[in-house]
Amino acid sequence: MVFSSCIPIELFHNDTYAVSGVLQNYITHQYIKDATVIAEYSNQGQVIKFCGNQMKTDVTDENGGFDLDFEGGCGYSLKIDFSSNKEYDKFSKYQLIVNDKASHSEIVRDINAYNVVVQIQPYISLDLRYKDVSHLELKEIRVPEFNIKIDSFEYRTNENIYLSKFIGILDVIAYYENSDPKLIKIPYNYFEKPLIILEVDK
């Protein structure tokens, strides 16, 4: 499974450039070996015509290190392939944290291309579904630990919960206009159940 982030290499000529750094587990801070780091050309938001090589790869060493060299370039999407790592190939959902910044599909700018720290942060998905109850009027739902607040309710709402530990308890609080709040405690285990479905009265 491959997930992506982006690291900028905005170049105006065809000299040789490099991206080097380490790959870590966001929760344990352990270095991750035997993972393939992929830098793939991305022209998102770029107007430069020459963008150099299309892709470079490197396999992380014992200390999680990787080193990628380029000729030219307009920005590269950074991806991780765990198919050769038996421990991490079971990570089903995660985002990349690049130099302490969460990175998805957009180009991350103003980031040093040397000594880059790339971390794998797992997340679970919270799928909230709503059930109409005649005497209740739902005002909002909060997940305080993750600064999540929901005040618009359709048939369902999906929120990603970015984790700082693999196993824990998720506190979901439903607030009502005409009733006391309801606290729902949900145990989670990232490796056993990365999707949580919860029905909330409204």
Side-chain angles (χ1 to χ4, degrees):
M1 186 172 291
V2 176
F3 289 77
S4 69
S5 174
C6 292
I7 187 167
I9 311 174
E10 297 179 323
L11 311 173
F12 294 86
H13 41 74
N14 61 352
D15 289 347
T16 299
Y17 292 82
V19 176
S20 62
V22 294
L23 182 65
Q24 286 183 332
N25 184 314
Y26 177 85
I27 293 177
T28 66
H29 299 291
Q30 292 178 325
Y31 295 117
I32 302 173
K33 65 177 182 178
D34 298 330
T36 302
V37 180
I38 305 165
E40 188 172 13
Y41 159 67
S42 170
N43 65 351
Q44 181 178 345
Q46 305 295 333
V47 295
I48 307 170
K49 292 183 179 180
F50 176 74
C51 293
N53 295 321
Q54 295 296 304
M55 181 185 295
K56 286 288 188 177
T57 65
D58 191 24
V59 177
T60 55
D61 60 25
E62 290 286 333
N63 298 313
F66 63 88
D67 195 351
L68 300 160
D69 294 320
F70 304 97
E71 287 185 10
C74 299
Y76 283 82
S77 173
L78 190 65
K79 303 178 182 180
I80 310 296
D81 184 350
F82 285 126
S83 57
S84 297
N85 185 306
K86 292 182 179 179
E87 179 181 1
Y88 283 89
D89 65 359
K90 60 186 176 182
F91 273 48
S92 56
K93 295 183 177 183
Y94 60 83
Q95 70 171 349
L96 299 186
I97 304 292
V98 181
N99 285 4
D100 295 324
K101 295 181 180 179
S103 306
H104 302 286
S105 59
E106 71 276 8
I107 297 287
V108 180
R109 302 184 183 280
D110 300 324
I111 178 175
N112 194 346
Y114 300 94
N115 302 315
V116 175
V117 178
V118 180
Q119 296 177 306
I120 305 300
Q121 182 182 25
Y123 67 87
I124 57 175
S125 293
L126 177 62
D127 188 351
L128 297 170
R129 303 180 183 186
Y130 306 108
K131 181 176 68 175
D132 287 321
V133 177
S134 59
H135 68 281
L136 290 177
E137 187 177 345
L138 184 61
K139 181 172 65 174
E140 67 181 30
I141 294 173
R142 293 186 183 181
V143 188
E145 183 181 355
F146 298 94
N147 297 316
I148 292 174
K149 177 182 176 181
I150 303 166
D151 56 13
S152 178
F153 312 105
E154 301 297 333
Y155 168 67
R156 63 197 294 180
T157 305
N158 190 272
E159 293 284 343
N160 290 333
I161 307 294
Y162 296 95
L163 302 176
S164 59
K165 52 189 176 182
F166 293 117
I167 299 172
I169 295 177
L170 199 62
D171 287 345
V172 179
I173 307 173
Y175 293 90
Y176 296 91
E177 293 283 2
N178 55 352
S179 183
D180 293 333
K182 292 184 178 180
L183 171 61
I184 307 166
K185 288 187 170 289
I186 308 170
Y188 67 84
N189 184 322
Y190 172 76
F191 296 108
E192 292 181 359
K193 196 174 183 181
L195 172 64
I196 295 175
I197 298 174
L198 176 65
E199 190 172 69
V200 180
D201 294 337
K202 74 168 186 172

